[in-house]
Amino acid sequence: MKTIGIIGGSGLDNPDILKDAKTIEADTPYGKPTSPLKIGMIGNNRVVLIARHGLSHQFSPTEVNYRANLFALKGQSVDCIVATTACGSLRNEIERGDFVLLDQFIDFTKRRVSTFHESFANGAVHTPMADPFDAELRSHILECAKRIGVKCHPKGTVVTIEGPRFSTRAESLMFQSWGADVINMSVATEAALANELSVPYAAIAMSTDYDCWKTDEPPVSWNEILNIFEKNAERMVSLLKLVVETLE
Ligand code: ADE
């Protein structure tokens, strides 16, 4: 039996996907996670679920206690973490509702703690970060996406911005020129921390909008993100279930 951590992002704050679920309040040296831990089963595997932005989406991307979330999952001895996130597309070919299995990040956040090693008082720690998303987990997720026939881009670079505001058009064009494929407000921080804890981490991004680089349509809005995610949430839930059920 494996234990899998799932971090549910915007639009999937509290999915009802666990059998025999119980809820526990966790605490960590970094404070409380953003939601109680929901622990239950999918198939023969144990799942620990956290709502990244809180059960009623009350934490902004800057306020999310990423360290507590990751530390609490590590405390539950998770073998790996699968996160979901809404993202904006910076490429024509990544359409609304498409999934992207991220393989690289660019960290453009500004005001959050994204390390467990702020102090070197007990020795220097510089964590390698060349390939921050777990290759084995990614290929398993991709296989599952193929099996259920959801359109999933096999790789993609995400730029994570601080938010909560969206980007300016100049920023959006700059991120494109940097080679970013999609944009969000959470994943780089989470991936970095998971790597510091040596927990294999993968993130399934769902494209909900074209940010603001396209001039032939209105710029992204929060309502658009929620609408598109809601329309496609069922496919994300099916994918998550299969991914967890078939992890050995
Ligand atoms: N999440 C979903 N769409 C986004 C966008 N355009 N920018 C930042 N985060 C997002």
Side-chain angles (χ1 to χ4, degrees):
M1 183 179 77
K2 291 249 178 191
T3 299
I4 295 123
I6 295 181
I7 303 178
S10 301
L12 210 71
D13 296 311
N14 192 17
D16 189 13
I17 55 176
L18 306 186
K19 221 174 55 195
D20 303 328
K22 64 172 184 176
T23 295
I24 65 165
E25 293 288 343
D27 208 354
T28 79
Y30 305 96
K32 280 185 179 301
T34 47
S35 78
L37 307 184
K38 208 166 163 184
I39 304 177
M41 302 293 290
I42 295 182
N44 292 322
N45 285 327
R46 180 171 169 265
V47 175
V48 186
L49 196 66
I50 291 188
R52 180 186 294 123
H53 294 280
L55 289 179
S56 45
H57 210 89
Q58 69 270 40
F59 297 114
S60 77
T62 303
E63 288 176 313
V64 168
N65 192 337
Y66 297 93
R67 292 197 299 182
N69 285 356
L70 273 291
F71 203 85
L73 289 177
K74 177 91 175 175
Q76 288 294 321
S77 307
V78 297
D79 294 292
C80 62
I81 295 172
V82 180
T84 71
T85 178
C87 69
S89 168
L90 299 173
R91 307 275 166 222
N92 255 321
E93 61 274 20
I94 302 176
E95 298 177 280
R96 286 186 178 82
D98 287 6
F99 291 175
V100 184
L101 201 46
L102 305 174
D103 71 326
Q104 284 292 325
F105 71 67
I106 296 171
D107 188 354
F108 202 68
T109 62
K110 296 170 161 62
R111 296 203 301 117
R112 55 182 84 172
V113 190
S114 47
T115 180
F116 289 105
H117 306 293
E118 276 184 298
S119 163
F120 281 3
N122 295 319
V125 183
H126 296 282
T127 307
M129 206 59 62
D131 293 294
F133 300 94
D134 187 70
E136 223 176 287
L137 191 53
R138 287 183 58 252
S139 66
H140 175 69
I141 295 170
L142 206 55
E143 197 55 49
C144 292
K146 279 189 192 140
R147 262 178 68 181
I148 57 174
V150 299
K151 188 170 163 204
C152 185
H153 300 264
K155 62 192 182 116
T157 296
V158 63
V159 57
T160 297
I161 60 170
E162 185 62 47
R165 70 164 176 87
F166 292 116
S167 304
T168 63
R169 186 158 297 120
E171 287 167 336
S172 199
L173 295 172
M174 176 183 73
F175 296 142
Q176 282 183 327
S177 79
W178 283 359
D181 301 301
V182 293
I183 181 166
N184 87 339
M185 301 183 189
S186 57
V187 161
T189 315
E190 240 169 51
L193 291 168
N195 276 268
E196 285 191 348
L197 293 177
S198 301
V199 179
Y201 174 93
I204 310 169
M206 182 202 289
S207 167
T208 51
D209 56 85
Y210 281 103
D211 200 40
C212 65
W213 58 274
K214 274 191 180 220
T215 45
D216 60 349
E217 61 169 72
V220 56
S221 68
W222 176 231
N223 270 348
E224 179 186 17
I225 293 176
L226 286 183
N227 281 339
I228 298 290
F229 205 104
E230 204 175 290
K231 275 196 194 126
N232 294 284
E234 218 173 281
R235 289 186 308 138
M236 182 65 94
V237 166
S238 308
L239 180 56
L240 277 177
K241 277 188 182 159
L242 186 64
V243 164
V244 171
E245 250 166 36
T246 52
L247 259 179
E248 287 175 356

